[in-house]
């Protein structure tokens, strides 16, 4: 029973490190990269002036009333 805690602690520390590394990798490639690609696709053809005119015509903006 000597050094039981130390041996088990090494095992659990290694396991926790590997699990956290795996979770970080899965988040990066499962969430962050697709999100970056979606933003890049959206802003590739985004026209802010056209969007402003559409919101203005819909009456969404109080500072720029629709005519």
């Amino acid at each position: 029973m000597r050094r039981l805690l130390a041996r088990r602690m090494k095992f659990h520390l290694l396991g926790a490190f590997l699990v956290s590394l795996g979770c970080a990798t899965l988040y990066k490639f499962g969430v962050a990269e697709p999100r970056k690609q979606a933003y890049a696709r959206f802003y590739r053809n985004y026209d802010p002036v056209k969007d402003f005119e559409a919101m203005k015509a819909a009456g969404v903006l109080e500072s720029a009333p629709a005519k």
Side-chain angles (χ1 to χ4, degrees), residues 23-59:
C23 288
T25 304
L26 284 173
Y27 181 83
K28 177 177 173 41
F29 292 110
V31 176
E33 290 298 322
R35 186 177 292 170
K36 279 196 250 182
Q37 291 172 355
Y39 274 103
R41 277 194 309 269
F42 176 77
Y43 283 110
R44 191 174 300 131
N45 298 321
Y46 180 67
D47 185 15
V49 174
K50 180 180 169 187
D51 199 28
F52 171 74
E53 293 299 329
M55 286 190 286
K56 184 177 166 183

Side-chain angles (χ1 to χ4, degrees), residues 1-38:
M1 296 282 291
R2 288 188 181 180
R3 297 186 205 104
L4 178 64
L5 178 63
R7 278 188 286 145
R8 293 195 48 92
M9 189 68 110
K10 285 180 189 176
F11 174 75
H12 285 108
L13 271 169
L14 180 64
F17 179 75
L18 292 176
V19 167
S20 65
L21 191 64
C23 288
T25 304
L26 284 173
Y27 181 83
K28 177 177 173 41
F29 292 110
V31 176
E33 290 298 322
R35 186 177 292 170
K36 279 196 250 182
Q37 291 172 355

